[in-house]
Each structure stands twice: as C-alpha cells, then as structure tokens.
C-alpha cells in the first residue's frame, strides 16, 4: 500500500518544508497545512492506478505533481480564485463535515484495528494448539525415489525479483545459499514461499490486555483534551489558568496518557519512526527520478489525474480559506487567495520530487488553530460569558509549530515512546472539536427536537422549520454521496469532481427555496453576470460627485453632507464593478 512508501519521517519532513514556507509567505498565515483526508484518498487511488498499469508509482507521481502545479499556476494567472464567491455555507459545511467524519471514523477504525495484531482471547479457558512448522515448497517429484524434489534456487530468484523491502525482511536472500525452512519463524514462512504444516497453524497468538489498554489510552486522550478545552468557560481558577489549560489541552492529554502507558508498560503499539534520517523505503533516496522504469507515455498519462488533483487541491485550499476568512472571525487583514494557491503550486512540485506527502489547507486543523487564537474580553459581569473580540492575526504560531514538527525528525528516540492509540485519540478530538458551532450539526439536532425545546436560532425566526429540515436533508444526502464516492474504489477517481459538484447543487437549490430563505439558512450567491461600468463613465461619475461635494461644502449644507456620508458607508458593502 501507499503508506509503506511514505510514512512518519516523510510527513514530518513535508511539514517542516511546506508548513514553515507557507507560514512565512502566505497571504493568510492562519491557515494550517496538512496531508488531508481527501488528498490521502486521491494518493491511494493514484497508487492503485499505477500498480494496476505496471508503472513505478513514485516516478509517475512526479509527473502528476508537475502537471498539477502547471494547472494551479494557470488558475492563479487567470484569476480563477474569484470563483470562491460561489462557495457558500452549503459547500463549506458539507466539505468540513466530510473531513471531520474522516477524522472520527478513521480514528475509531485505527483504534479498533489494534486487535488485529494484538488479538483478544474471548475463550480463555480453551486449550491453545500452536503445533505448526514451516516446510519447503514442493516443486516436483524426484524421479526414481517418488519423493519430493525442492528447487530453492528458482524460488530464491523469484523472491529476489520482487520488492525486497517486503519479501526479504530477514535478509536471507543474499548470495546463493539456500534457505533453511525448518528454522524459519512461522510468521515469515509464506513470505519466503514456504508451506505451513500443523494442526495449530491457524491458531492466533493472543496478547493479554494490550488491546484494552490501547482503547483506554485512545478514549483517555479524547476525554482529557475535550474536558480541558471546555475549561475556558468554567468558573474555576483564574482566567489565565483557564485559558492556558484550554490552549494546551492536546499536549497535556498526550503527556498524561503517554506517562500512564510508560508506567504500566504493557507493550502497546508505538509510533514507528526510523532511527536515522532516511526515507521509509530503504531502496530509494530523497530525490525521485522522474522517469525511473516508466515508459515515455506516462508523462502524458499523468495529465488526467493531475487535472483531478488540481481540482481537489483548489477546492480543499479555497474552501478552507473561505471558512477561515469568514466575517464571523472579525479579521482585519486581507485573504490572499491567489498568493496562497501559488505557494501551494510550487510546494506540490517540491513534494513530488522529494517523494513526500502533498500538504494543502487542512480544514480541521485550521479551524482549531483559529479557535486557539481567539481574543475575548478580560472583564465581564458575574455569570456573563466573555465577549468575542476577534482573532490574533500573526505568523509566529504557524512558523514555530511546523518548525518544531520538522525538527522532530531528529528526536526519534523520544517520539518512539508515544503510543499510536494516543495519536488516534488526538484525531478523534480534532474531528469532534471542529464540528462545534457548525450550523449543519445544529440543524441535524433540530430534526429530533420538539418545537418547544428548539433553541432561538436566528434562521428559525424567518424560515419555516419544515423548510429548514428539507434543506438539512439535502445537505446530508450530498454528504453521504461524497462519502460513498470516496469509499468505493471503482468510482473514487471522480471524488474531486463530486466536491466541485456541491457548488452546482447549491445553485440548483434556488429553484426550490426563495432568496429570503437562502439568505438566512445559507449565503446568497452572486449573479452570474455583473454589469460593470466602463472606465470612462466611472471617471465622469467620480468627477461629478467631486463637484457636488465642493458645492455642498461651499454652501455649508450639513444635512446633505451627513446623508452622503451615510450612503458612502453603506456602499462599501456592495459588490464593486
């Protein structure tokens, strides 16, 4: 699978390169980059496509990255980022909820999947049979003796022709020496082409208490992080203590549960990081050959998947940027959609040649980053919640966070003590925390809530509840379709197009909902064609307004001056031509 080619060391290196450079040069540094769920889904699809067609995946991926970068640069050159005006709350929430669900579902799947390696014995009183041995593969019958004849030379050559990283874990295929199958551990028997024989070959090797401990670590990190995060609004301790506990909830939870694991010492699965600064695959370097063993036509074959990846990156990056830049956050600085996309385009080429994961705007992590930088009023009346004042807009947190992640490749002796279930708990926390204050989640709760118990949401005052439910059901159906397309291997290649289709679904909904209803439930879409004034007419209009203002000032008409000032303030909110 693709995860055996790129693992923790590559992810940390990508974080150091992409994260730090983006935080320094980006137009919106509050955005946090990461290897998102949709990008991982696409990488899996691309890996399967390359293997099914006999192509070297990493070399083919370089050309996909090059063409993707070309498409993204064209998008920047032709000002296509302006299309973000068609990304409304409907698309934002559908995409962000999909990412959150990926985090939550994958966290549970990984936590429960621990029992595949550390199996639980549900029948502890039954006697276990481990009678099993490894035999050499039977190739033919030895003429004259009617006994089996073994051809270990051919078998060894066949294994050598495969990927030695997977098929020679014990390093037994060097030279021309034959393999002694009788002394081979049974778990490596089939790897070297041997045959398992015995009544206990199918008996699992049970490990006591490891799965239970792993699941407790998983839930422990989630519960501690969520509890500390909610400390911000409690009445305990001074304000500075509450804010500190809330801001550092995740590191505190990781530290506590890692210490618990070390004290108990049950041998839970740990973070697998190489001891040296080297790629996960021992058969490749840090720079990928663009051609490798692939034929020349793979350069052209990379164009279609590159178009799909460009669409996915555009949607992933810009939807996250729209969510971060929304007016609810009271940001004072500009967005920088074009600049951010240009930086991502350059980073895609770098990641392709280095064989490290693609990093784009990570919706869940970016939202949590903004939440951790919120500013609130220091003083408030007893029992009154602090007033939201905005977000601390700076680059320091992004630079330092990714710098520490990049430097962590040199601290592998410490990181190897972190249990994997602890990280799964962090993923669960991030997925659940990012769903807070999402209107789709609120409207889902309204489906199961009697009218008299419904909260006083603003949109419920102006839109009939049944119409709200219809809008919610349509949004849930779209979310479910995205999940199905992502999960089914045969159609998963069209996943980027399905994300783009959310915008068209939202446009089509104008046939069933009035503009007034959509204004409260969602955001209004701009008209397809905007009437823009010519530059000459615009200059004439400005000159006329200047003359009128001079006459008003000369005549001292204060009432007319106030009216014009009010009009000028309101006009700043209109779409300028």
């Amino acid at each position: 699978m693709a995860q055996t080619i790129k693992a923790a060391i590559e992810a940390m290196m990508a974080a150091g390169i992409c994260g730090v450079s983006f935080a320094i040069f980006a137009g919106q540094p509050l955005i946090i980059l990461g290897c998102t769920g949709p990008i991982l889904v696409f990488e899996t699809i691309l890996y399967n496509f390359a293997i099914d067609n006999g192509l070297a995946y990493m070399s083919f991926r370089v050309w996909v990255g090059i063409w993707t970068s070309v498409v993204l640069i064209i998008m920047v050159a032709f000002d296509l980022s302006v299309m973000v005006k068609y990304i409304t709350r409907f698309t934002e929430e559908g995409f962000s909820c999909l990412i959150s669900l990926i985090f939550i579902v994958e966290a549970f799947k990984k936590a429960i999947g621990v029992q595949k390696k550390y199996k639980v014995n549900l029948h502890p009183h039954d006697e276990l049979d481990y009678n099993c041995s490894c035999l050499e593969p039977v190739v033919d019958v030895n003429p004259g003796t009617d006994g089996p004849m073994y051809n270990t030379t051919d078998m060894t050559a066949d294994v050598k022709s495969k990927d030695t990283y997977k098929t020679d874990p014990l390093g037994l295929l060097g030279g021309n020496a034959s393999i002694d199958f009788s002394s081979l551990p049974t778990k490596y028997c089939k790897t070297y082409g041997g045959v398992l024989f015995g009544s206990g070959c199918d008996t699992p090797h049970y490990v006591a208490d490891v799965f239970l401990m792993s699941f407790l670590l998983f839930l422990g990190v989630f519960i501690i992080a969520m509890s500390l995060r909610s400390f911000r609004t409690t009445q305990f301790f001074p304000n500075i203590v509450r804010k500190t506990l809330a801001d550092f909830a995740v590191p505190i939870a990781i530290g506590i549960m890692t210490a618990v694991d070390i004290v108990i010492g049950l041998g839970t699965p740990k973070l697998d990081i190489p001891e040296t600064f080297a790629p996960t695959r021992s058969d490749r370097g840090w720079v990928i050959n663009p051609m490798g063993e692939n034929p020349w036509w793979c350069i052209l074959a990379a164009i279609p998947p590159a178009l799909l990846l460009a669409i996915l990156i555009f949607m992933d990056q810009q939807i996250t940027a729209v969510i971060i830049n929304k007016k609810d956050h009271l940001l004072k600085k500009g967005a920088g959609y074009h600049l951010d996309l240009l930086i991502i385009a350059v980073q895609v080429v770098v990641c392709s040649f280095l064989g490290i994961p693609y990093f784009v705007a990570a919706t869940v992590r970016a939202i949590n980053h903004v939440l951790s930088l919120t500013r609130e009023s220091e003083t408030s009346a007893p029992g009154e919640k602090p007033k939201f004042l905005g977000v601390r807009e700076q680059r320091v947190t992004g630079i330092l966070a990714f710098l520490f992640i990049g430097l962590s490749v040199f601290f592998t002796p410490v990181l190897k003590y972190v249990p994997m279930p602890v990280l799964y708990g962090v993923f669960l926390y991030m997925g659940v925390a990012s769903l807070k204050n999402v209107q789709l989640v609120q409207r889902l709760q309204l489906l199961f809530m009697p009218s008299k118990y419904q909260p006083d949401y603003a949109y419920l005052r102006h839109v009939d509840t049944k119409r709200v439910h219809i809008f919610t059901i349509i949004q849930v159906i779209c979310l479910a379709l995205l999940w199905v397309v992502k999960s089914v291997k045969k159609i998963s290649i069209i996943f980027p197009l399905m994300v783009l289709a959310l915008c068209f679904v939202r446009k089509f909904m104008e046939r069933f909902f009035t503009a007034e209803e959509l204004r409260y439930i969602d955001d209004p879409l701009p008209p397809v064609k905007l009437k823009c004034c010519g530059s000459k007419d615009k200059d004439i209009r400005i000159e006329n307004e200047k003359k009128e203002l001079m006459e008003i000032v000369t005549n001292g008409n204060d009432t007319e001056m106030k009216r014009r000032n009010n009009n000028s303030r309101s006009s700043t909110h209109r779409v300028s031509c």
Side-chain angles (χ1 to χ4, degrees), residues 291-348:
M291 294 306 298
E293 300 176 356
N294 291 338
W296 66 268
W297 52 262
C298 74
I299 300 175
L300 301 178
I303 296 178
L307 291 173
L308 294 174
L309 179 59
I311 294 173
L312 185 59
I313 291 177
F314 179 85
M315 297 297 294
D316 208 341
Q317 179 71 30
Q318 305 298 39
I319 289 177
T320 304
V322 169
I323 294 174
I324 298 302
N325 292 314
K326 63 183 181 180
K327 59 184 179 181
D328 296 347
H329 291 152
L330 304 180
L331 300 181
K332 297 180 180 179
K333 300 180 181 179
Y337 292 101
H338 302 299
L339 176 60
D340 294 352
L341 194 61
L342 179 62
I343 295 173
I344 295 297
V346 176
Q347 291 179 351
V348 166

Side-chain angles (χ1 to χ4, degrees), residues 214 217-218 221-222 250 253-259 261 269 417-428:
S214 298
L217 293 174
F218 166 70
V221 168
F222 172 72
V250 175
I254 293 175
I256 292 175
M257 299 314 293
T258 301
D261 177 74
Y417 290 104
V418 179
M420 289 301 296
V422 168
L423 301 182
Y424 302 151
V426 175
F427 296 154
L428 178 62

Side-chain angles (χ1 to χ4, degrees), residues 240-261:
I240 184 66
V241 176
R242 296 199 305 268
K243 292 177 62 176
T244 302
L245 291 175
D247 291 340
F248 295 93
V250 175
I252 293 173
I254 293 175
I256 292 175
M257 299 314 293
T258 301
V260 170
D261 177 74

Side-chain angles (χ1 to χ4, degrees), residues 262 448 455 481 540:
I262 294 174
F448 309 98
L481 289 175
I540 295 174

